Amino acid sequence: MLPGSIQITGEALSGAEIKDICDNLKENSVRLLSVRGCQLSDRDFGRVCRGVAESHSLAQLNLNLGVVSTINRTKQLADALKANRSIQTLFLHGSPLLDAGLVTLNAALSTHPSLVSLDLGDCMLGDEAVRLICGMLPPDGAKSGLKELTLSANPAISSQGWARLAIAVAHSSQLRVLNLDYNPLGDQIAGMLAVTVASSRTLEVLDLEGTGLSNKSAQVFLDMVENYPTSLRVLVLAENDISPELQQQISDLLSEGEEEEDKDGEACGSSVTPREKPAWVPHIITASKKPGNKGSTETHISHAIFGRDRILFMK
């Protein structure tokens, strides 16, 4: 039997529902578990974490919107992640982790053998958390690392923290998607990120929606895509003080670059383009944003499982 999905959104979970979730986790019949925005007791949260620890089939875990609400729950999740070997995608968007919470999770996240996508948007993170996150972006294939990172709506991160992240991303041998939307970045930090994009061999998607940018930033990105070859395919600049004309020019140039690569691949008689398309699909490509916790945004994965608010079990 193929593993299925359990998705419940914004409800108070009963003991019977928790038991059903845990039983399915332990029987390796769940590939995707989402209890986004749900209310459950500390005891029941611990039971779910023990089920996650024992599961060999779970690939995606969504605890968005306040499910991990205390440092004790953060510790329980860290213990579960240390034992689990199968999770590829972890959503913690809208969890009040603070830097202390990421310190607690760091060892489990940075050593997890399968984790490639991490959403830490709106988690009240600061510079210490960024320092730890940079350790999850190893250079030159030294070890496996994140392919997709979301840090949306973490306004406590300083310009020094963003500079540190920009350097780590520039040298990362894995990262393909970086979501920094709804942070007060401004033109100076955007300039750093342009250098990051120009340096990176892997970054394909950069989301800078609502980050306080002006035409100055857009002009820097335009010059970059006009004059330098990069891996970038998607640059999101919506909700900034940037003219529609500049945004369209950038978008057109990025589209032209991808079309030229496809033609080059076909001319070589190969089904693989010079930048090979990954089997792993970044969530941002098919996701839409929706209001999340405390007025920020949470990436809502429309192509996967969230067509309805509540699906108890789906195969």
Side-chain angles (χ1 to χ4, degrees):
M1 182 184 299
L2 292 174
S5 302
I6 298 175
Q7 309 119 60
I8 310 173
T9 297
E11 297 190 19
L13 299 181
S14 67
E17 287 172 320
I18 294 296
K19 183 179 184 302
D20 182 57
I21 289 170
C22 294
D23 288 347
N24 281 292
L25 285 169
K26 293 173 182 178
E27 292 169 3
N28 295 314
S29 57
V30 179
R31 181 170 176 79
L32 190 155
L33 172 63
S34 173
V35 289
R36 173 181 170 274
C38 289
Q39 300 88 51
L40 60 165
S41 69
D42 289 342
R43 177 176 176 273
D44 286 341
F45 182 83
R47 292 169 64 192
V48 171
C49 284
R50 288 191 291 276
V52 168
E54 294 182 31
S55 176
H56 302 295
S57 63
L58 188 65
Q60 186 176 121
L61 177 62
N62 189 327
L63 301 175
N64 281 358
L65 302 186
V67 177
V68 186
S69 55
T70 65
I71 192 65
N72 185 55
R73 290 192 178 193
T74 306
K75 291 175 181 176
Q76 290 177 305
L77 177 60
D79 289 341
L81 292 172
K82 287 176 184 176
N84 177 277
R85 316 297 286 177
S86 62
I87 291 176
Q88 299 174 22
T89 301
L90 177 63
F91 295 102
L92 295 174
H93 198 113
S95 303
L97 294 179
L98 302 168
D99 285 2
L102 203 66
V103 169
T104 300
L105 287 169
N106 180 58
L109 294 176
S110 59
T111 60
H112 197 285
S114 301
L115 187 68
V116 293
S117 179
L118 180 62
D119 186 343
L120 294 173
D122 197 11
C123 286
M124 304 171 68
L125 304 180
D127 289 358
E128 175 61 16
V130 169
R131 185 185 68 82
L132 298 174
I133 290 166
C134 289
M136 304 175 202
L137 304 172
D140 301 326
K143 59 178 181 178
S144 62
L146 296 176
K147 294 182 179 179
E148 180 174 357
L149 174 63
T150 296
L151 289 174
S152 315
N154 281 294
I157 299 173
S158 72
S159 58
Q160 183 177 1
W162 292 122
R164 182 191 290 268
L165 180 70
I167 294 169
V169 172
H171 291 280
S172 168
S173 61
Q174 305 282 333
L175 195 69
R176 294 177 178 172
V177 178
L178 179 61
N179 301 316
L180 302 180
D181 48 308
Y182 295 96
N183 285 295
L185 302 181
D187 290 330
Q188 182 178 5
I189 295 168
M192 297 180 192
L193 292 170
V195 175
T196 293
V197 172
S199 303
S200 172
R201 300 189 300 272
T202 60
L203 192 65
E204 298 178 357
V205 179
L206 177 61
D207 187 349
L208 298 177
E209 180 176 346
T211 51
L213 308 188
S214 73
N215 283 342
K216 292 180 181 179
S217 297
Q219 189 62 55
V220 170
F221 281 113
L222 180 61
D223 291 343
M224 179 196 69
V225 297
E226 274 186 322
N227 298 303
Y228 300 96
T230 74
S231 297
L232 195 67
R233 298 181 187 178
V234 178
L235 177 62
V236 182
L237 295 173
E239 300 298 323
N240 287 296
D241 189 20
I242 297 174
S243 71
E245 292 78 15
L246 273 175
Q247 294 191 50
Q248 190 61 53
Q249 282 181 275
I250 293 169
S251 177
D252 290 345
L253 284 168
L254 290 173
S255 298
E256 287 174 10
E258 188 167 357
E259 288 173 3
E260 287 174 5
E261 285 190 350
D262 290 340
K263 289 178 181 178
D264 289 343
E266 291 172 4
C268 293
S270 171
S271 60
V272 180
T273 65
R275 188 174 65 242
E276 186 174 357
K277 303 295 189 296
W280 167 83
V281 178
H283 294 133
I284 188 66
I285 298 297
T286 49
S288 61
K289 297 196 180 101
K290 62 181 295 181
N293 199 28
K294 298 185 287 297
S296 75
T297 59
E298 174 200 9
T299 300
H300 188 68
I301 309 305
S302 59
H303 73 290
I305 58 164
F306 298 117
R308 292 177 285 172
D309 277 347
R310 182 184 177 92
I311 305 174
L312 283 180
F313 196 75
M314 178 179 71
K315 293 178 182 172

